[in-house]
Amino acid sequence: MAEKKKSHYISGRESRKIARSNAKITKALEKRKKRKNVESEYLTEMKDPKNIVEFENLNTYFYTDTGVVKAVNGVTFSIPEGSTVGVVGESGCGKSVTSLSLMQLVSGPAGQIVDGSIRFRTKAFRRDKKGKKIPVYETKEENGEQVIVKKGKKPVLKKDELGGTMYEMDEKVYDIAKMPIEAMRSIRGREIAMIFQEPMTSLNPVFTIGNQLDEVAFLHIEGISKKNAKARSIEMLNLVGIADPEGVYKKYPHQLSGGMRQRVMIAMSLLCNPRLIIADEPTTALDVTIQAQILDLLREIKDKISGSIMLITHDLGVVAEMADYVVVMYAGKVIEMGTAEDIFDNPLHPYTIGLQKSKPTVDGDVESLYCIPGFVPNPVDMPNYCYFRDRCDKCRMECAGEYPHLVKVTDTHSVACYLYKEGGEQ
């Protein structure tokens, strides 16, 4: 009698077939990313002008030899201007991949944005007929008219507050999911900045802190001098609460503590006054005192630069303190979202309730913490029904059907669960 094939086993022939299919798909997607920059191909409009970012049906997959991993599988949510949006969920739910998709930093060719939109409202450079950026010149008043100031025969370029050359700008909305890499470089770092999860691995060990901060200035602030770049770097180190900014400027990453390195990463992300800061676990491996200081710093800086923050964390306490809106993710999908009050005072999805029950409390007398039973489904072979069904204690007949869509329970609160209908509970 033939031995029954194991469901989790893939033969060498099957693996090679998958690899050939993946290579064909990723080659086409990589070619699209490296195409010539034509702005009309990714120019779009916001659905709500109050938002700075809108994710709509975002799908980011990883093409592996064992199959396609749907890391982000139809994610839709928005980040309003001037607000903090917390993205929570257990490891592997797609939080970081969503943020890397926004930065176009998903590791290719295996990782690819395959579908959906990421609309971002940006200040784009105005260009002339030859495609060159149009500079702004210094002017003075003569005989009641504004005339361009000249040094010899050359007009004097106007400098911005950071010491770089000023250019004429237009506010535009770009679909980052459709942008070629060449065009994305004008946004990444200047308009969108990211505080990475591990400062020790994100900072280059062979360059000083000053070298790495200055490099950001030279890349994104055109025309800035070495003197102004250094002054800006030291100003940022001082802003993030480093006691000896001139001394730290000359040091190497290994000479700093974890908290100091995290502050350097924040300083680096703020150097160009971005419109959006992505903070991916900004308080990981920091003690509670330093954690509180970092959160206060982020809140203070957000108000100072009138920017928005996308805060990715496992810590529900951090989200409760920092976030205006909360997005809960599970297995690559958004399962619940709303204001911080909605999520913490009235959690609806059984997974969100489970997350909150598993959080330790200072005043509670609990022998053991709650643990959500079961496991996350295999990301290579996701079921057609609700991904949380096999772990849910409120499961019903409808849960075996089509994956539930997000429904609005209130104007600000949405959930993807068959326990609820549009406008309220079933």
Side-chain angles (χ1 to χ4, degrees), residues 168-222:
E168 292 185 20
M169 309 290 278
D170 284 324
E171 185 156 283
K172 294 181 179 179
V173 178
Y174 288 154
D175 187 346
I176 289 174
K178 295 179 175 64
M179 285 179 79
I181 293 171
E182 179 192 344
M184 186 62 199
R185 291 193 183 108
S186 68
I187 293 177
R188 190 194 298 133
R190 181 178 65 89
E191 294 276 276
I192 310 173
M194 189 165 184
I195 303 165
F196 290 95
Q197 193 166 348
E198 289 291 339
M200 193 64 230
T201 55
S202 301
L203 292 168
N204 194 321
V206 300
F207 291 106
T208 63
I209 298 301
N211 285 145
Q212 297 182 62
L213 286 170
D214 290 352
E215 184 185 19
V216 175
F218 293 136
L219 275 172
H220 301 294
I221 308 171
E222 193 169 320

Side-chain angles (χ1 to χ4, degrees), residues 21-164:
S21 174
N22 288 350
K24 188 177 179 181
I25 295 166
T26 55
K27 186 178 179 181
L29 292 169
E30 282 290 305
K31 188 178 178 180
R32 187 182 72 171
K33 285 196 294 186
K34 293 173 182 176
R35 72 190 186 279
K36 189 179 178 182
N37 181 8
V38 180
E39 189 182 63
S40 59
E41 293 180 357
Y42 52 86
L43 202 60
T44 183
E45 290 184 1
M46 283 287 187
K47 286 195 172 180
D48 185 345
K50 294 178 183 176
N51 293 331
I52 190 79
V53 179
E54 292 176 351
F55 294 91
E56 185 175 359
N57 193 35
L58 177 66
N59 291 268
T60 303
Y61 299 167
F62 289 89
Y63 293 88
T64 72
D65 289 348
T66 55
V68 180
V69 177
K70 297 180 178 180
V72 174
N73 191 8
V75 163
T76 301
F77 68 92
S78 302
I79 301 176
E81 190 170 17
S83 66
T84 299
V85 175
V87 184
V88 299
E90 59 195 324
S91 294
C93 70
K95 305 184 301 296
S96 293
V97 177
T98 301
S99 67
L100 291 171
S101 300
L102 173 55
M103 292 286 282
Q104 270 205 20
L105 287 176
V106 178
S107 181
Q112 298 288 342
I113 299 171
V114 297
D115 195 16
S117 299
I118 308 172
R119 294 183 289 274
F120 177 68
R121 188 148 49 85
T122 180
K123 287 183 178 176
F125 295 108
R126 191 178 293 169
R127 297 178 184 271
D128 59 21
K129 292 179 180 178
K130 294 181 180 179
K132 293 182 179 180
K133 292 180 279 190
I134 302 171
V136 177
Y137 298 106
E138 288 281 359
T139 59
K140 62 180 180 179
E141 191 174 329
E142 280 186 8
N143 301 323
E145 293 183 1
Q146 292 291 325
V147 294
I148 295 172
V149 177
K150 290 187 177 181
K151 191 176 182 180
K153 291 184 179 181
K154 289 185 177 180
V156 178
L157 294 168
K158 195 172 184 180
K159 296 290 183 178
D160 60 22
E161 58 180 5
L162 305 180

Side-chain angles (χ1 to χ4, degrees), residues 123 136 138 157-167 190-191 217 220-225 227-233 235-236 239 270-275 301 304-306:
K123 287 183 178 176
V136 177
E138 288 281 359
L157 294 168
K158 195 172 184 180
K159 296 290 183 178
D160 60 22
E161 58 180 5
L162 305 180
T165 305
M166 280 187 73
Y167 293 94
R190 181 178 65 89
E191 294 276 276
H220 301 294
I221 308 171
E222 193 169 320
I224 194 169
S225 64
K227 182 182 176 181
N228 285 340
K230 181 178 180 180
R232 179 65 178 169
S233 298
E235 181 190 346
M236 287 296 99
L239 180 69
L270 297 172
L271 206 135
C272 299
N273 285 347
R275 306 187 87 184
I301 286 167
K304 190 173 286 186
I305 66 173
S306 300

Side-chain angles (χ1 to χ4, degrees), residues 371-406:
C371 177
I372 300 171
F375 300 95
V376 181
N378 184 352
V380 176
D381 186 24
M382 299 299 275
N384 296 323
Y385 50 83
C386 175
Y387 298 162
F388 193 65
R389 173 178 174 263
D390 298 332
R391 306 176 70 184
C392 185
D393 57 1
K394 295 181 180 178
C395 182
R396 49 170 66 186
M397 283 180 64
E398 299 97 315
C399 300
E402 184 186 359
Y403 190 94
H405 299 290
L406 271 171

